[in-house]
Amino acid sequence: MTFLQPLALFGLPLALLPVIIHLLNLLRHRSQPWAATRFLLQARRSSSKLSRLKRWLTLLLRVLALMGLAFALSRPMTGGDSIFSFSSGAPEAIALILDRSASMETKTGEGASSKRELALKALENFAKPWTESRIVLVDTALREPVILSDLSTLADPAMQRYLGYTGTAADIPATLATTLDWLEENGVATAEIVIASDMQESNWKPEGSEDVFRRLKKVLSVKEGSWRTRILALEGEVSTNSSIIGENLMRRDDKLNLLADLQRRPTGDLPLRITANLDGMKRELTAEFKGERFLWRSAIPLPEQKNQGWLSLNLPPDLYLADNSWHFAYGSANRPHAAVRADLPIAGRILRAAAANEKGVSADVLPSSNLNKDDFAGRTLIVIQGNPRTPQEAELLKSFVNEGGTLLCFPPNSNEGAAIDTIQWQPVEKAPDSESSFRVNAWNENGGILANASDGTRLPLNELSTTTRRIPIGSEPLAYFSDGKPFLSRKIIGKGIIYLFSTLPTEKWSGLANGYILVPAIQRLLEESTATHSPARSLACGSSELAEANEIECLDSRERKKPALHPGVYLIDGNIVAVNRPQEENSPALLKQKQAVDSLGNDYVSYQRTEALSNQSSRAEIWSMFLYLVLLLLLGESLLGLPGSIKKMKGKSS
Amino acid sequence: MSRRRKSYLKYLDKEAISRITSEPLLTPFPMEGSVSGHHRSPHKGSSVEFAEYREYVAGEDPRRMDWRVYARSDRYYLKEFEAETNLRCYLALDCSGSMGFGATESKLEYAKRLAATFAYLIIGQGDAAGLLAIRDKKSFELPAKRNPAQVQEILETMGPLKPKGSPSLVDGLHDLAERVRPRGMTVVISDFLDEPKDLLDAIHHLRDRRHDVVLFHLIDPQEEDFPFERPTRFVDLEGAGSLITEPAVIREQYLESMRIHLESIAQGCLASEADHRIIRTDLPVAEALDKFLGERSAGKAA
């Protein structure tokens, strides 16, 4: 509890006035000679218990009434960390951290405010009593500290840039770090930091931001409570919602094949109405499905041949609008051919076949020696088995990747040749016998080139028998053998990626040659690399690439939207870009209270649920409560003073 | 000396003396006096009041034999008459410290006026009056006499007495009961703040000796009304210390204790046929005595 007028607390000793007056009265007694003292003694004995109780109770009520008055005048407020804090409690600065991720647009009921709006109200209520504190707002979307002249600016439409809806994901630890940096730079001694968030785990990044959290903890602990952090958790799930997540859009000459993940809550068997906006032409589609989740496939005819275009899918409005839309951008139907160079001819043949285009034409063959830049022109995927012949070739391949190309490497049969970047291969390992071959047991089934098929079927990696392997060094593993060594790994160089398999698609090495794993993996790589090079692209809202864009035109709406903040379709620097909410915003996992508090250190962090506004005002003035208390106490005192109250008390006690 | 005498005459209530003249004080119990008087005696005597016939027993005085009865019945009968004697009245005056209390007039001063006037009336109707002033260590006693100078003696004995010491009324009454053998009237004037049980024992003792016991229970109006409001330090007049209290807090309990005390004395007196009368000291002595004598006469008539 803190006090806005702590000086009034100096009036607390005045509460002893009734006792002092009582004692003075006793001192000012008059002397009376008396004969019937025995009756007085008897009377005092018999009346001592209840009369004394009544007398002291009366005094107590008077003292408490005066104390209550002093407290009321001192304008007490709830929400302090200690029971009593004899200070105005006004921090030098109040830092309001607003989670503006897409999930904050959830509404808990019809006509209710979104979590973001609730958070703003809670933040306003929190900061309102501290009129003398500086207020700085840091939102997760822009992560720019904005100093508010007063709280009324929170309602200013011009502030929508910092407070309004976004389709971005949030990085709470990074935003908090920015806030702490600002406080540090501005030499703020005492601060209240309020983080208003829906506690979506993906926004808090408990895994992956350990270093940031460690630093935050350290900074907060150094401040020893002069910077206090409060987490205002806006929990509460949406009861009725349907959502769409675009999985894939493939252009096939005169049509678009789309795959989207449809979900709804509660479950039902009614068809879902979807409004499709194809290059500005709207049409109604219907997704027939029963249950809670459905992978919806549809083919939309293209009325005209365009080099690039876009498609927006919109579900009917519900309590969570942010997940009702998905935007696609499509490019040309022609994909560049992949090129293959292999030391082993058999491996070369298999890889060319696996990298065939959609018409079944095998991938091109790269010259076996003296590669030059022209060999990579127009290509997005190069598959290579063996080391580059010369350092020049290695350098050429590296620059291909640097510029956004994808390079798929298979282990060399010998140690001859140069290394690409710093990638080295360990010596060849052979399994002791075919029965105890190397087995793959861990890979990402939900994403990447080894992900499950769209119908959920797993790639048969666990059935793959590998008798010979060669492990690359200096790359990031993506799939593992059962002994922990990587089966597939990658290395990101510049704008491109190098993927490295640890075995060869030949009979002597592994069963990759059967194509069950190799074909989908290479085809996905081809698709991915083509999409990367396509002028029509899809990006996550808030990604750094969007922030660098210069010429921006919104294609799907007349609203003044910004691709860095709002999902939609934009023409950016002449290319169509579909901007969607980031994948992590679809994750329903929430951070637990203990986890949140622990991540920032227990000592100076408090956690408060803010489902209802009445509870949100963690720092409400409660002087009126004290005033009512004073009235009640005075009423009690006057009731005790009524004649015959002792008899009543006696009667009750008897 | 004459001035002192004159000053003690103030204890004689002239209004009472002038109002109460015709009604003699009579006692419902037989008294043993030394001379004949208005009061019934336990002995048979030679008054005009016939009592009974009784068969003659050898050795008795033949002069009291009724010869007419003998002539009619040829049997010896004695004709007996009620003896009438005078009254010996002892005025027991409590002079303990508590009797010094009084808002306008102390209870002792009131008691002195009551006792002096009472003695005057007793001696005036030809009966004997004595005084026993009971005080902590030193008591004063005047044997009962019927000569008019006794009033002066009583006045001079009790006139200079001051209230002092702890209560010793009970012992004084026991002592009186033991020493005064002939039946008489004992008038006790006190505030009776002693333990009721001890007091009633003493009254029983007196009643066992066939005394007619009258208790004039003096109460000051302040004691009865307890009109104090502000915190007060009550100083005990009998030296039992002092007590600081808020009267408003203990008033009800005080009055209740007082009521219980008075009731227990009244009940005890009723049981032992003692005459207990509560007199507020703001009541004029004349009225108090008039009421007492009036009720006594009415009781006798009944």
Side-chain angles (χ1 to χ4, degrees):
Chain A
M1 185 184 288
T2 51
F3 303 91
L4 287 182
Q5 300 291 338
L7 282 180
L9 291 175
F10 285 109
L12 270 180
L14 290 178
L16 290 174
L17 267 181
V19 179
I20 294 167
I21 291 171
H22 174 72
L23 293 174
L24 280 177
N25 260 339
L26 285 180
L27 286 175
R28 282 177 58 234
H29 62 263
R30 61 174 193 158
S31 219
Q32 171 70 48
W34 194 251
T37 316
R38 62 194 302 259
F39 302 137
L40 288 179
L41 291 169
Q42 280 174 7
R44 202 166 76 155
R45 267 198 298 275
S46 62
S47 74
S48 58
K49 281 183 185 168
L50 282 174
S51 292
R52 276 186 198 174
L53 180 68
K54 181 186 165 188
R55 186 174 56 191
W56 287 114
L57 210 56
T58 307
L59 274 178
L60 181 71
L61 290 178
R62 287 173 187 168
V63 167
L64 289 178
L66 283 175
M67 283 179 74
L69 196 63
F71 273 119
L73 290 174
S74 66
R75 295 177 64 192
M77 300 187 63
T78 55
D81 287 335
S82 58
I83 295 171
F84 286 111
S85 170
F86 291 96
S87 69
S88 68
E92 206 176 310
I94 303 169
L96 306 176
I97 296 175
L98 178 64
D99 180 351
R100 280 173 81 198
S101 61
S103 57
M104 285 288 282
E105 297 310 310
T106 309
K107 293 176 182 175
T108 49
E110 280 296 338
S113 301
S114 69
K115 287 182 178 178
R116 179 180 51 83
E117 289 162 336
L118 288 173
L120 280 172
K121 278 182 191 167
L123 292 175
E124 188 180 354
N125 284 341
F126 178 83
K128 196 184 285 176
W130 286 319
T131 47
E132 63 268 46
S133 302
R134 273 193 292 170
I135 300 169
V136 60
L137 175 82
V138 189
D139 74 292
T140 54
L142 299 177
R143 242 183 277 162
E144 293 171 13
V146 178
I147 296 170
L148 303 181
S149 54
D150 61 74
L151 285 170
S152 62
T153 51
L154 286 177
D156 190 344
M159 288 294 288
Q160 284 304 300
R161 174 177 151 77
Y162 302 98
L163 307 171
Y165 148 72
T166 77
T168 59
D171 188 344
I172 299 286
T175 313
L176 183 57
T178 307
T179 309
L180 297 190
D181 288 345
W182 184 89
L183 292 172
E184 194 78 64
E185 284 164 17
N186 287 274
V188 174
T190 56
E192 289 281 346
I193 303 157
V194 189
I195 306 168
S197 166
D198 61 354
M199 307 310 292
Q200 197 173 27
E201 195 178 65
S202 59
N203 295 157
W204 281 77
K205 305 180 190 297
E207 288 166 14
S209 294
E210 289 90 347
D211 291 342
V212 184
F213 276 121
R214 212 170 293 127
R215 193 194 134 220
L216 294 174
K217 254 185 193 177
K218 193 178 170 188
V219 172
L220 289 173
S221 67
V222 164
K223 292 296 174 186
E224 291 180 337
S226 52
W227 290 2
R228 289 172 187 278
T229 311
R230 295 163 197 274
I231 300 167
L232 297 180
L234 292 125
E235 292 172 1
E237 284 191 16
V238 59
S239 52
T240 310
N241 183 43
S242 45
S243 69
I244 181 167
I245 302 169
E247 291 288 337
N248 196 12
L249 183 79
M250 289 179 73
R251 182 173 177 178
R252 291 288 179 265
D253 295 331
D254 57 349
K255 63 178 181 180
L256 291 173
N257 289 336
L258 74 90
L259 178 66
D261 182 2
L262 298 176
Q263 293 181 38
R264 67 176 160 201
R265 190 166 46 201
T267 183
D269 51 7
L270 290 173
L272 203 59
R273 216 161 34 81
I274 300 167
T275 307
N277 188 346
L278 180 66
D279 299 319
M281 301 286 286
K282 287 189 180 175
R283 70 179 67 184
E284 290 293 322
L285 302 175
T286 304
E288 298 279 352
F289 83 99
K290 292 180 181 176
E292 200 172 322
R293 190 168 185 180
F294 180 64
L295 273 175
W296 177 58
R297 292 169 196 276
S298 183
I300 300 173
L302 281 171
E304 52 185 308
Q305 286 293 329
K306 282 184 175 178
N307 195 32
Q308 56 178 337
W310 55 275
L311 172 68
S312 287
L313 299 173
N314 295 292
L315 298 180
D318 53 27
L319 294 176
Y320 181 25
L321 291 173
D323 66 352
N324 286 4
S325 303
W326 196 266
H327 312 280
F328 294 99
Y330 63 87
S332 165
N334 301 321
R335 288 188 296 178
H337 279 206
V340 176
R341 188 172 89 171
D343 291 350
L344 294 172
I346 180 68
R349 279 200 301 278
I350 292 168
L351 290 173
R352 281 182 60 216
N357 69 6
E358 69 274 12
K359 291 174 182 167
V361 179
S362 295
D364 297 339
V365 181
L366 282 177
S368 59
S369 60
N370 299 325
L371 280 177
N372 61 53
K373 208 170 181 180
D374 296 338
D375 296 327
F376 304 143
R379 301 194 191 281
T380 58
L381 177 66
I382 302 288
V383 182
I384 185 165
Q385 185 268 314
N387 285 327
R389 304 277 187 270
T390 60
Q392 289 76 19
E393 280 187 11
E395 199 53 44
L396 271 176
L397 285 167
K398 186 181 172 186
S399 65
F400 166 73
V401 177
N402 239 333
E403 287 163 14
T406 305
L407 182 65
L408 176 60
C409 295
F410 286 86
N413 207 17
S414 66
N415 289 331
E416 291 172 5
I420 305 168
D421 198 34
T422 55
I423 294 169
Q424 298 288 334
W425 296 91
Q426 287 182 2
V428 174
E429 288 177 69
K430 292 197 175 193
D433 51 69
S434 60
E435 285 180 6
S436 55
S437 60
F438 306 112
R439 293 282 172 181
V440 179
N441 70 342
W443 70 96
N444 183 5
E445 294 180 34
N446 300 317
I449 61 171
L450 300 180
N452 293 351
S454 57
D455 60 355
T457 312
R458 280 167 40 146
L459 297 188
L461 277 154
N462 49 348
E463 293 168 19
L464 178 69
S465 169
T466 304
T467 51
T468 309
R469 67 183 182 184
R470 199 165 181 192
I471 307 297
I473 305 168
S475 53
E476 175 196 352
L478 297 174
Y480 297 88
F481 288 110
S482 56
D483 60 357
K485 290 188 175 174
F487 165 72
L488 175 70
S489 45
R490 75 171 179 187
K491 181 161 188 175
I492 297 170
I493 299 172
K495 292 180 182 174
I497 306 174
I498 304 174
Y499 286 92
L500 303 112
F501 274 95
S502 301
T503 187
L504 288 174
T506 61
E507 200 178 338
K508 286 183 181 174
W509 285 67
S510 70
L512 272 180
N514 64 21
Y516 291 124
I517 297 159
L518 194 65
V519 173
I522 293 181
Q523 285 298 316
R524 283 169 184 173
L525 274 180
L526 201 55
E527 190 79 32
E528 186 184 283
S529 61
T530 307
T532 310
H533 280 74
S534 167
R537 287 191 297 154
S538 264
L539 289 173
C541 192
S543 67
S544 55
E545 285 177 60
L546 291 168
E548 294 162 6
N550 296 319
E551 291 178 22
I552 299 167
E553 185 190 340
C554 181
L555 298 177
D556 68 321
S557 164
R558 288 181 182 176
E559 290 174 40
R560 293 185 64 189
K561 295 199 294 186
K562 293 192 172 177
L565 300 176
H566 307 117
V569 184
Y570 299 88
L571 188 64
I572 300 174
D573 299 331
N575 295 326
I576 291 178
V577 179
V579 178
N580 288 296
R581 64 185 184 280
Q583 280 291 343
E584 55 260 44
E585 279 304 294
N586 300 319
S587 164
L590 296 178
L591 194 71
K592 292 192 173 90
Q593 175 179 346
K594 187 176 181 305
Q595 222 178 338
V597 173
D598 286 351
S599 63
L600 296 174
N602 280 313
D603 295 342
Y604 309 110
V605 178
S606 60
Y607 186 95
Q608 205 171 0
R609 283 187 176 80
T610 52
E611 285 145 349
L613 264 183
S614 57
N615 298 331
Q616 285 176 7
S617 52
S618 60
R619 293 192 51 78
E621 278 204 63
I622 51 167
W623 62 268
S624 54
M625 195 186 83
F626 277 92
L627 213 56
Y628 288 130
L629 186 70
V630 168
L631 289 175
L632 275 177
L633 290 167
L634 290 177
L635 188 69
E637 193 264 352
S638 52
L639 283 176
L640 273 178
L642 284 178
S645 57
I646 277 280
K647 276 186 184 170
K648 279 179 196 166
M649 286 169 80
K650 268 189 176 176
K652 276 181 190 170
S653 64
S654 66
Chain B
M1 185 70 182
S2 63
R3 252 180 309 185
R4 270 183 66 194
R5 279 180 189 169
K6 194 179 174 184
S7 66
Y8 294 141
L9 284 175
K10 69 180 180 186
Y11 292 125
L12 287 174
D13 193 287
K14 294 171 185 62
E15 190 194 342
I17 291 167
S18 62
R19 270 168 70 170
I20 308 160
T21 48
S22 56
E23 287 289 337
L25 171 65
L26 297 174
T27 166
F29 306 106
M31 295 288 120
E32 289 179 327
S34 53
V35 294
S36 71
H38 304 95
H39 306 277
R40 215 153 44 91
S41 168
H43 307 296
K44 301 295 178 281
S46 54
S47 72
V48 294
E49 193 85 18
F50 170 73
E52 62 180 349
Y53 282 110
R54 182 166 63 78
E55 205 159 353
Y56 175 75
V57 179
E60 288 184 315
D61 186 1
R63 287 180 296 177
R64 289 163 60 195
M65 202 175 287
D66 191 332
W67 297 108
R68 287 180 186 172
V69 174
Y70 173 69
R72 283 202 298 271
S73 63
D74 204 18
R75 294 168 71 178
Y76 299 114
Y77 277 93
L78 294 181
K79 189 176 184 181
E80 291 196 328
F81 294 89
E82 289 281 1
E84 287 192 337
T85 186
N86 70 330
L87 171 75
R88 287 165 189 269
C89 177
Y90 270 92
L91 295 159
L93 189 63
D94 179 9
C95 297
S96 64
S98 66
M99 288 293 283
F101 178 70
T104 51
E105 181 189 29
S106 75
K107 285 186 277 188
L108 184 62
E109 287 298 296
Y110 188 91
K112 283 177 186 175
R113 289 201 289 130
L114 191 67
T117 311
F118 199 86
Y120 180 88
L121 293 173
I122 291 286
I123 291 169
Q125 69 180 27
D127 292 323
L131 176 72
L132 176 65
I134 304 168
R135 220 161 63 165
D136 191 8
K137 288 175 184 170
K138 193 177 176 185
S139 294
F140 301 91
E141 186 176 355
L142 275 179
K145 290 180 184 172
R146 50 195 284 270
N147 59 326
Q150 179 71 355
V151 175
Q152 192 60 42
E153 286 296 320
I154 289 171
L155 284 173
E156 286 184 9
T157 305
M158 70 179 183
L161 290 176
K162 301 284 179 200
K164 192 178 176 185
S166 54
S168 51
L169 180 69
V170 171
D171 294 340
L173 292 180
H174 278 298
D175 189 44
L176 184 72
E178 284 300 318
R179 283 189 293 103
V180 180
R181 288 292 177 180
R183 302 176 189 184
M185 177 185 254
T186 305
V187 177
V188 188
I189 306 171
S190 170
D191 52 8
F192 297 110
L193 290 174
D194 309 71
E195 268 302 315
K197 185 179 173 300
D198 299 340
L199 183 70
L200 291 172
D201 281 349
I203 290 164
H204 277 304
H205 195 176
L206 284 165
R207 286 292 300 131
D208 284 348
R209 300 293 182 192
R210 308 291 173 88
H211 289 286
D212 181 8
V213 181
V214 177
L215 280 75
F216 285 132
H217 194 151
L218 303 186
I219 293 178
D220 188 86
Q222 281 193 334
E223 286 177 329
E224 193 170 36
D225 300 338
F226 205 64
F228 309 103
E229 293 293 338
R230 280 177 45 195
T232 309
R233 179 168 171 259
F234 292 98
V235 182
D236 187 48
L237 290 167
E238 293 176 347
S242 62
L243 171 75
I244 298 175
T245 187
E246 282 186 89
V249 174
I250 61 163
R251 185 170 186 277
E252 285 183 37
Q253 284 68 37
Y254 167 85
L255 294 177
E256 181 65 11
S257 299
M258 183 93 167
R259 187 189 63 75
I260 291 168
H261 179 77
L262 293 177
E263 208 169 276
S264 59
I265 292 176
Q267 290 292 331
C269 290
L270 192 68
S272 56
E273 293 183 284
D275 195 353
H276 176 242
R277 287 170 184 277
I278 294 170
I279 298 173
R280 274 171 69 111
T281 53
D282 58 350
L283 184 74
V285 171
E287 262 183 52
L289 283 176
D290 195 20
K291 190 179 174 200
F292 168 69
L293 292 172
E295 285 177 9
R296 274 273 164 151
S297 300
K300 177 72 180 173

